[in-house]
Amino acid sequence: MRRAGPNWLEMVGGAIALSLVVLALFAPQIAPHDPTQAVAQTFGDPGPPSLAFPCGTDQLGRDVLSRLIYGARVSLIVGLSAMAVAMTVGVAAGLCAGFFGGWTEMVLMRITDVMLTLPGLLLAMAFVAILRPSLLSILLVISLVSWTGVARVVRAETLSMASRDFVLAARALGASAGRLMIRHVMPNIAPTVIVMAALSTSGTLLLDAGLSFLGLGVPPPTPSWGRMVEESQIYFRTAPWLAFFPGLAILYAVLGFNLLGYGFLRRRHTR
Amino acid sequence: MLYYLIKRIAFGALVLLGASLITFCIAFVIPADPAVAIAGAKADPHTLATIRAQLGLDRPLYVQYVRYLGRALHGDLGRSYARRQSVSGLIVARFSATAVLAVCAMMLSLVLGTLGGLVAGAYRGRAPDNVLLTLSLTLVSIPVFWLGTMFLVGAAAYVRWLPLGGFDGARSLILPSFALALGSAGYYSRILQANLAEVVGQDYIRAARAKGLSPARVMLHHALANAILPLVTLAGLDFAGLLSGVVLTETVFNWPGLGRLAFEAVFNLDIPLIMGTVLFSSFLIVMANLVVDLLYAWLDPRTRLA
């Protein structure tokens, strides 16, 4: 059997994700200006896109393009680490629920049901406001509302694995529950976990953008895409580009991880 | 059927009980003292102690929770600190604006999603399918608040007759419902396309084709009828996501609904109002899921037997 190369979804998604990582890592080298300093002559008015400032300048005379490039940092840090936390918790909960069954499953899955009936953004807003917005609080709150979907899927996959012959054989040989889960079940649900990881990154990115649009993001002067859209609201008639470019950046990042996730998914189905 | 109904309602009630426990937690991770929030920072200790006793804050936590739950069951969600009005009154006053917006957006997204899914399903593997896949993934990835803002920009420049915010008649519904609906529409069309692909491979579709029915008739009467069922469940589950989108959309369009109320509550750290809006939203979600479960049982008799 020929091993299929990456499909176009994976390639485009992967390229987008890679470009974001490069932008975030090398922001100081790539960005043409300091994102927090005024670089254009301004009298309180945003400047339109020009050769010197391809995405225009904001009401404080800062270069929008440079702010966008630096904005990739916060988005990626929050998006990826919130995803990592949510995946860890979700996979652990799903594995335990699916593997042990009984009371463990009952309790874990009822918690998941409850979390899924609370509106994620609303809950996140409430907790971030109470804990005060900071990188850590935003990251934790986003993970708190994102792990449940993962737990459900992992539980279902674990259930179908736990009764397979190879798991039973390992159990008969006296393998411990931990060893069974990590060495035998985990590798077999890994493809699903990878799909979930890509798709939940787009989810955490959108949640982070939504929170910072509501003024509950990482506090200024750190540039963040969601807040840039929010700050540009009052200029939507006079300077529409101020809202246009940061939103496009969010779309670019979220779309990248969605493409990656669907690409992985398609690969599994065609196999 | 009755047994199924009772089981679903009991499950909904149980989930709501859990939700109330989580909302109750909100109040206790807060460092601020509610008594200070009511009486002001300069109040003397005696006044503060009286307020605490009045609110029952000097009692053990479980007593407070049971009292909170008992009142919530009677529709009393406490009084807003910032507005000094009853929380349930505020929620009721704002509910209709949100309900109109959410229902419009939901129907719009189901219609658009079905259309998109049908086209993608009919042209499976060919150019329109890939175009629609890209389009639906893009729609799913658009931040709703940005889409709304872009609609405002476009309407301000080109469509003079559309109102740019506020809730004032049917015309004011157009922009916010589209902003809210497009993301879900992309999602639904993906799911429908996948379901269609599965259904189309089955024997009864081949039989329908073999007896000489037109492809359109096979698609609409035979394949769609079965492929659309899971969409109903999905729309119910997606209701939670819709409510999250409502908060952002209402902020962009200055819509006088629950989302803006919740937003204001969060900004004033108005704890009873935060708890009230969160609890009420989960109540709406549980109700939506219940309606969907019943609808599903009615549409697909097999579930009733299970």
Side-chain angles (χ1 to χ4, degrees):
Chain A
M1 204 178 91
R2 190 171 63 93
R3 198 182 162 82
N7 54 42
W8 70 271
L9 293 164
E10 289 172 319
M11 288 208 278
V12 177
I16 291 177
L18 192 69
S19 70
L20 285 170
V21 172
V22 170
L23 282 179
L25 281 179
F26 300 105
Q29 284 77 35
I30 298 170
H33 300 283
D34 185 327
T36 54
Q37 297 295 317
V39 288
Q41 284 292 332
T42 176
F43 300 96
D45 288 327
S50 61
L51 273 179
F53 306 108
C55 297
T57 49
D58 68 5
Q59 67 282 5
L60 298 175
R62 297 173 297 193
D63 177 36
V64 172
L65 179 66
S66 306
R67 290 178 65 70
L68 289 179
I69 293 172
Y70 273 89
R73 291 189 153 181
V74 172
S75 292
L76 271 197
I77 292 173
V78 173
L80 289 178
S81 15
M83 178 274 286
V85 177
M87 289 303 296
T88 312
V89 177
V91 169
L95 263 179
C96 289
F99 194 83
F100 293 115
W103 272 101
T104 321
E105 181 179 27
M106 240 291 283
V107 171
L108 283 172
M109 286 303 112
R110 291 301 85 82
I111 295 177
T112 324
D113 288 334
V114 170
M115 291 299 291
L116 283 172
T117 37
L118 288 162
L121 181 71
L122 207 53
L123 201 63
M125 275 165 70
F127 277 109
V128 171
I130 290 164
L131 297 170
R132 302 273 169 235
S134 72
L135 198 62
L136 187 69
S137 69
I138 292 164
L139 196 160
L140 288 180
V141 167
I142 293 180
S143 326
L144 175 79
V145 299
S146 311
W147 65 273
T148 44
V150 182
R152 265 202 181 172
V153 176
V154 170
R155 170 187 160 268
E157 288 273 310
T158 307
L159 270 181
S160 79
M161 284 298 155
S163 55
R164 299 275 177 96
D165 285 342
F166 67 92
V167 177
L168 293 180
R171 195 194 286 265
L173 284 172
S176 67
R179 191 183 162 84
L180 281 175
M181 278 195 278
I182 290 166
R183 294 295 298 272
H184 298 274
V185 178
M186 254 314 259
N188 286 292
I189 61 168
T192 311
V193 171
I194 292 173
V195 171
M196 294 296 288
L199 293 180
S200 35
T201 307
S202 57
T204 52
L205 282 172
L206 270 182
L207 250 172
D208 170 53
L211 282 176
S212 54
F213 173 77
L214 293 171
L216 295 167
V218 176
T222 318
S224 106
W225 296 336
R227 188 153 24 79
M228 287 170 78
V229 177
E230 188 263 326
E231 284 169 352
S232 67
Q233 289 276 304
I234 46 171
Y235 301 103
F236 80 88
R237 282 169 196 275
T238 51
W241 64 88
L242 273 191
F244 179 72
F245 291 113
L248 202 63
I250 302 170
L251 171 60
Y252 177 75
V254 177
L255 182 61
F257 285 99
N258 267 332
L259 285 170
L260 210 54
Y262 275 89
F264 292 151
L265 206 61
R266 183 172 276 193
R267 172 192 292 266
R268 292 187 53 208
H269 282 301
T270 50
R271 206 186 278 163
Chain B
M1 185 64 195
L2 189 68
Y3 173 68
Y4 178 74
L5 185 71
I6 292 171
K7 213 170 78 177
R8 296 316 297 170
I9 291 176
F11 177 73
L14 211 66
V15 164
L16 265 181
L17 194 70
S20 73
L21 205 59
I22 292 181
T23 31
F24 188 71
C25 288
I26 293 178
F28 289 92
V29 286
I30 282 195
D33 184 344
V36 178
I38 294 173
K42 286 181 192 142
D44 62 283
H46 182 68
T47 321
L48 289 180
T50 319
I51 294 175
R52 279 194 201 108
Q54 263 176 12
L55 292 173
L57 293 174
D58 48 353
R59 312 281 288 279
L61 270 185
Y62 67 91
V63 176
Q64 290 190 42
Y65 174 67
V66 170
R67 274 178 51 159
Y68 166 71
L69 200 64
R71 285 184 180 160
L73 283 176
H74 290 94
D76 176 9
L77 294 169
R79 289 178 75 78
S80 150
Y81 294 159
R83 291 166 168 263
R84 314 211 175 264
Q85 280 169 283
S86 105
V87 169
S88 12
L90 284 167
I91 289 176
V92 169
R94 298 292 195 98
F95 174 62
S96 57
T98 295
V100 171
L101 179 59
V103 169
C104 273
M106 189 87 159
M107 293 196 310
L108 199 60
S109 62
L110 279 172
V111 170
L112 293 175
T114 309
L115 285 177
L118 265 178
V119 175
Y123 291 93
R124 191 169 142 68
R126 284 180 276 165
D129 183 18
N130 273 328
V131 171
L132 275 166
L133 170 66
T134 318
L135 180 68
S136 65
L137 281 183
T138 310
L139 287 179
V140 173
S141 309
I142 294 182
V144 58
F145 57 88
W146 180 65
L147 189 63
T149 310
M150 290 299 107
F151 280 178
L152 282 181
V153 170
Y158 303 109
V159 200
R160 288 304 165 86
W161 53 271
L162 274 175
L164 296 178
F167 180 23
D168 182 25
R171 270 192 302 184
S172 65
L173 259 170
I174 298 175
L175 291 181
S177 349
F178 267 95
L180 194 51
L182 285 182
S184 306
Y187 183 48
Y188 297 154
S189 82
R190 253 353 299 136
I191 303 291
L192 184 63
Q193 192 270 339
N195 293 343
L196 277 174
E198 219 161 86
V199 166
V200 160
Q202 288 182 10
D203 285 345
Y204 73 93
I205 296 292
R206 202 175 306 150
R209 282 213 188 104
K211 70 180 181 186
L213 295 180
S214 70
R217 199 180 158 79
V218 173
M219 206 64 182
L220 289 176
H221 282 247
H222 297 251
L224 184 63
N226 279 290
I228 210 166
L229 265 180
L231 224 58
V232 177
T233 318
L234 210 63
L237 286 176
D238 198 41
F239 198 74
L242 188 77
L243 281 188
S244 288
V246 162
V247 178
L248 294 166
T249 314
E250 288 186 355
T251 307
V252 174
F253 290 98
N254 207 4
W255 195 261
L258 285 175
R260 272 214 71 80
L261 188 68
F263 178 71
E264 287 160 20
V266 163
F267 265 80
N268 298 326
L269 275 186
D270 192 341
I271 296 142
L273 197 54
I274 296 177
M275 289 163 74
T277 43
V278 173
L279 192 61
F280 186 70
S281 315
S282 48
F283 172 70
L284 288 181
I285 293 166
V286 166
M287 291 310 281
N289 282 328
L290 199 62
V291 169
V292 161
D293 279 338
L294 297 181
L295 203 64
Y296 201 93
W298 177 64
L299 288 171
D300 186 352
R302 284 170 300 182
T303 46
R304 277 176 253 167
L305 303 171

